[in-house]
Amino acid sequence: MPQAFRNTFLTLRDLIVSAGPLAFLAVGLLVLAYWWLNPNPPKKVTLATGPAQSAYEEFGKRYQKALAVDGIEVVLRPSDGSSHNLQLLRDGEADVAFVQGGTAELLPDDADNLISLGSLFVEPVWLFYRTDAAERAYNVSRLDGLRQLRGWRVNVGSEGSGVPKLMERLLEANKVEPGAVKMSRLEQTPATVDFLAGKLDALVFASAPESLMVQMLLQTPGVQLLDFAQHEAYARRFPFLTPVTLPRGVVDLAANVPTRDVRLVASTTSLLARDGTHPALLTLFAQNAQKLHGGSGWFNRAREFPNSRASELPIAKEGDRAMNEPVPVLQRYLPFWIANLIERMWLVLGILLAVMLPLSRIVPPLYQFRVRSRVFRWYGRLREVENDLEAGKTDSAELLKALSALEAQAEKVSVPLSYADELYALRNHIHLVRKKLLRASEGAESRPTPDTNHP
């Protein structure tokens, strides 16, 4: 091996051995902190949506597409609706879910186990009825209240949607006796088929206007949408309801659909999550909620949603940050997983740096000791030769032989150039001891031999 390469190799080896324990400690602390903080989210998350062709399903697909950009697979879990979604969260079968306010009873421990990422949009109560049914029952084409549903065949949706419970409360407030309305609990698609076929007189949805069923029925001839003339009074009686108005012509300006302003009552849908859901996933959902629900709609102006005004559960800090603060600087310029890693690890990195900087001061002295020890350890042997010389216990020839062996070993020692003076000092001292040994040897030879035969 060329001497230059050998010197470089030895220098690197000394550096690694000197700084190795400190580097190993730093890496160990980083691994421990990473394991404890778990900064990067799982690659798969389950989102409970709703029935087929519902607004929940449509929004679920939008979240699925948005999170796929950051490498997160969103598994859509169909359900019967809000009540079912809430139960899926409680049972751990979903991580995130759409839940409509007022359609399900919250349990006492829900506030400890569930969190909200904010209210996303309003879901009006759409009560569609057949014009011929109104004419047949009251000789009018339009109804003016829920009390006129007595004796009608009305589908209120599946039990898991929460709409049956909501309708029971609204009918009770209108003093409609239980059983006075023939309520069925079919899912949206079969209920719509029966309604259009005349097997049902009315059907009820609680859905965002993005629902395909809602948009289709709003433009179907012979189908009317109930006008809740007392919508302000409903909002006073039921805190989870909000009075909204479907503006004239908002569905189709050219066809003037609807032909008049329609007053409705609406509940607010929130995005809920289990308390143990990874914070990075909550951040992604909350940030994408700003993009998906922040625009204007039939019942709101731009940037009115998401908000925290109608939340029935504690707002997650990730949701609050997304609603009230701009996107973090790192996330604007770096991939999400890198920005998230830095944001969640920066405190640990700062603490680690504060601890390791003082400890790193021991590395230069340790490195210096290792390099100089390769030279200084031969001084011990040199001292032994010199002591033997002074004591006269060993023959000069043997001492010269030992000194030559020591010098040969010193010739093989390699040190960095910055420590070459130590090596040359060792060789110089060997030379001095050799001269001293030679002088002593010559002096011994020049002294006369005593005459033992002289009387």
Side-chain angles (χ1 to χ4, degrees):
M1 179 185 295
Q3 189 65 27
F5 286 112
R6 187 169 185 273
N7 290 340
T8 303
F9 173 76
L10 290 174
T11 301
L12 289 175
R13 186 190 67 179
D14 289 330
L15 282 173
I16 292 172
V17 172
S18 302
L22 191 65
F24 181 79
L25 176 62
V27 171
L29 290 176
L30 278 175
V31 171
L32 182 63
Y34 186 92
W35 171 81
W36 180 54
L37 290 175
N38 189 21
N40 285 328
K43 295 297 184 181
K44 183 181 293 187
V45 60
T46 301
L47 171 63
T49 55
Q53 300 183 358
S54 66
Y56 288 176
E57 183 187 51
E58 175 61 28
F59 282 125
K61 292 177 180 178
R62 296 182 188 180
Y63 278 99
Q64 189 178 51
K65 183 178 179 180
L67 268 70
V69 174
D70 294 302
I72 305 298
E73 179 187 358
V74 179
V75 179
L76 302 182
R77 173 71 157 81
S79 69
D80 294 332
S82 290
S83 295
H84 191 191
N85 286 353
L86 193 58
Q87 192 58 46
L88 290 174
L89 287 175
R90 291 169 180 155
D91 296 340
E93 296 182 28
D95 302 302
V96 189
F98 299 112
V99 176
Q100 187 181 48
T103 58
E105 293 290 340
L106 292 176
L107 300 179
D109 59 347
D110 282 343
D112 298 325
N113 300 325
L114 302 177
I115 50 178
S116 173
L117 296 177
S119 301
L120 305 181
F121 49 86
V122 293
E123 289 194 283
V125 176
W126 308 91
L127 198 158
F128 294 101
Y129 60 92
R130 295 178 61 88
T131 304
D132 56 4
E135 292 174 346
R136 186 169 55 250
Y138 301 105
N139 200 28
V140 295
S141 59
R142 293 177 180 169
L143 303 182
D144 60 9
L146 292 178
R147 65 187 183 281
Q148 293 178 303
L149 295 179
R150 287 187 177 92
W152 280 35
R153 299 164 297 175
V154 181
N155 187 78
V156 293
S158 60
E159 196 65 42
S161 67
V163 179
K165 184 180 293 294
L166 175 61
M167 281 302 299
E168 288 174 2
R169 298 174 71 174
L170 297 182
L171 290 172
E172 181 182 0
N174 282 273
K175 297 182 179 179
V176 177
E177 303 81 8
V181 178
K182 301 174 183 177
M183 290 191 291
S184 59
R185 288 175 170 76
L186 299 175
E187 294 184 357
Q188 285 188 5
T189 302
T192 303
V193 172
D194 286 355
F195 174 71
L196 296 176
K199 298 179 182 179
L200 293 172
D201 301 312
L203 75 165
V204 183
F205 297 148
S207 175
E210 284 80 2
S211 169
L212 297 178
M213 291 293 186
V214 169
Q215 297 197 26
M216 183 269 292
L217 290 171
L218 284 171
Q219 301 180 70
T220 300
V223 175
Q224 297 284 344
L225 176 63
L226 180 66
D227 179 23
F228 284 80
Q230 302 165 305
H231 67 162
E232 290 286 354
Y234 279 107
R236 301 295 191 277
R237 293 284 298 273
F238 302 98
F240 54 84
L241 292 179
T242 301
V244 296
T245 299
L246 183 67
R248 174 183 175 181
V250 72
V251 179
D252 189 334
L253 285 170
N256 193 31
V257 179
T259 57
R260 69 192 193 287
D261 288 351
V262 182
R263 293 158 292 188
L264 302 171
V265 293
S267 59
T268 304
T269 291
S270 299
L271 189 62
L272 304 187
R274 291 190 299 110
D275 190 42
T277 304
H278 197 284
L281 289 176
L282 298 181
T283 298
L284 279 175
F285 271 99
Q287 290 177 350
N288 281 287
Q290 301 296 313
K291 303 174 186 177
L292 297 177
H293 306 288
S296 60
W298 287 3
F299 301 102
N300 64 279
R301 299 184 184 277
R303 294 182 293 279
E304 286 187 12
F305 291 98
N307 62 57
S308 58
R309 292 191 292 270
S311 179
E312 300 175 274
L313 291 169
I315 297 291
K317 60 182 180 181
E318 292 82 4
D320 183 69
R321 189 180 302 119
M323 287 184 281
N324 300 309
E325 299 178 12
V327 177
V329 175
L330 290 178
Q331 292 185 28
R332 299 177 196 172
Y333 304 105
L334 296 175
F336 176 80
W337 71 271
I338 297 179
N340 174 72
L341 179 64
I342 296 174
E343 288 170 3
R344 289 182 58 79
M345 293 286 288
W346 71 267
L347 181 59
V348 173
L349 292 174
I351 294 174
L352 188 61
L353 190 63
V355 172
M356 298 306 292
L357 275 178
L359 291 177
S360 65
R361 295 178 181 176
I362 69 173
V363 174
L366 184 60
Y367 172 75
Q368 185 181 41
F369 171 77
R370 284 192 55 82
V371 173
R372 298 182 71 184
S373 67
R374 292 210 297 269
V375 176
F376 288 164
R377 66 193 181 104
W378 298 110
Y379 275 101
R381 179 60 183 149
L382 185 61
R383 174 64 62 85
E384 291 178 5
V385 172
E386 192 173 16
N387 289 340
D388 289 346
L389 172 63
E390 293 175 353
K393 298 178 179 179
T394 308
D395 183 68
S396 297
E398 292 185 7
L399 289 177
L400 283 172
K401 184 177 180 181
L403 198 61
S404 297
L406 176 60
E407 188 174 20
Q409 291 292 335
E411 293 289 340
K412 298 178 181 178
V413 174
S414 296
V415 294
L417 291 177
S418 58
Y419 293 91
D421 57 335
E422 308 281 356
L423 180 58
Y424 284 107
L426 172 62
R427 294 175 180 175
N428 187 44
H429 291 152
I430 293 173
H431 181 66
L432 291 175
V433 173
R434 182 187 296 278
K435 289 173 64 177
K436 185 177 180 181
L437 181 58
L438 289 174
R439 284 198 303 268
S441 177
E442 290 173 357
E445 291 177 356
S446 63
R447 285 197 297 268
T449 305
D451 188 3
T452 57
N453 296 323
H454 194 273

